[in-house]
Amino acid sequence: MTVQMIFAIYGAALSTGLAVLTALKFLREKPRISVEATLVNAPSSEGEKTHGILHRVKRGDDLVWEEVDVEIIVRNSGALACQISDVFIETASAILQVRPNGLPVILDPNTSCSVRIQPEFLAPKKLGEGGALTDRPVESVGVFDGLGKKHRLSTQSLAALVSRCRKLPLRTAAVRHRETGNLAVAFPMNDAVTIVFKNRSEEHTSELQSPC
């Protein structure tokens, strides 16, 4: 084996090693975002205006009024900071980008944040035969980062959360569109919402309507 060949092999090995180290450094230093979600209850009273759903629950021997919201917990276990811009709820027809109080936010390494959204977002409805409301499947839920990348709730967690939300006394109803007169699915949204339709022909909704 010639000296030139030895140097060539050494150079190739060194380049490969540096490439591997660079890749490992990138993986180590990038943000690592995870998402969890759960229902949370807060004390309330009958007739109180609430962000979440107001309902009565049994606590011991008493029936009390409580407000129910969905809490989204976002964690960054990586080595770089990451901006979280919106919560998203995706169905077959649209993506809802919800911006509750607390977003957007910069998550530093090894920190977390939590925000609350209305349970109706996790229990979307559609118009069935005769104007009856039926469940619309939810494909995914999570958060967008500042670059538009989706960070999703796990499939199992999503299924369990949607099931619990559907059992609540939702404020979703079939209403007449104030411009077209057509029936539409709606509930009073208390957070800033942007609706991105997958089929542009469905863009006939008002700001209070949830096309999901």
Side-chain angles (χ1 to χ4, degrees):
M1 184 180 294
T2 65
V3 174
Q4 291 86 348
M5 187 176 293
I6 293 174
F7 277 114
I9 294 172
Y10 174 76
L14 183 61
S15 297
T16 301
L18 289 174
V20 170
L21 289 175
T22 301
L24 289 174
K25 182 180 179 181
F26 171 78
L27 291 173
R28 219 172 26 242
E29 292 183 349
K30 73 176 184 178
R32 295 181 181 274
I33 304 300
S34 61
V35 183
E36 299 176 9
T38 187
L39 290 182
V40 291
N41 291 43
S44 190
S45 58
E46 185 178 7
E48 182 178 351
K49 185 177 180 180
T50 59
H51 173 270
I53 291 174
L54 184 65
H55 79 143
R56 298 185 77 180
V57 295
K58 190 169 184 179
R59 301 295 183 195
D61 295 328
D62 299 321
L63 280 174
V64 298
W65 289 97
E66 293 187 350
E67 176 187 5
V68 185
D69 265 315
V70 175
E71 185 172 65
I72 309 290
I73 305 103
V74 189
R75 293 186 175 85
N76 179 11
S77 58
L80 289 180
C82 180
Q83 183 187 52
I84 303 301
S85 61
D86 300 278
V87 176
F88 73 85
I89 301 93
E90 182 173 6
T91 69
S93 63
I95 299 175
L96 266 65
Q97 296 176 208
V98 185
R99 183 163 289 185
N101 289 336
L103 294 184
V105 66
I106 300 294
L107 276 187
D108 290 322
N110 299 312
T111 62
S112 65
C113 73
S114 64
V115 295
R116 295 187 179 186
I117 64 172
Q118 296 165 256
E120 285 90 350
F121 287 120
L122 276 294
K125 302 291 185 179
K126 61 182 178 180
L127 288 172
E129 189 174 344
L133 295 182
T134 60
D135 292 332
R136 186 186 291 274
V138 179
E139 293 185 351
S140 63
V141 169
V143 296
F144 279 117
D145 66 24
L147 298 177
K149 181 180 178 181
K150 293 177 179 177
H151 303 273
R152 295 176 173 85
L153 190 66
S154 72
T155 302
Q156 287 185 337
S157 296
L158 175 60
L161 184 60
V162 168
S163 177
R164 293 181 65 192
C165 287
R166 284 178 175 161
K167 296 175 183 177
L168 295 171
L170 304 172
R171 295 162 289 186
T172 309
V175 299
R176 292 286 177 185
H177 194 287
R178 61 172 173 244
E179 295 175 1
T180 66
N182 296 328
L183 275 177
V185 179
F187 64 89
M189 295 182 182
N190 296 321
D191 297 306
V193 179
T194 300
I195 304 170
V196 180
F197 290 90
K198 296 180 179 179
N199 181 354
R200 296 188 65 85
S201 66
E202 297 185 35
E203 296 187 12
H204 57 266
T205 177
S206 73
E207 68 272 14
L208 286 184
Q209 290 172 238
S210 170
C212 296

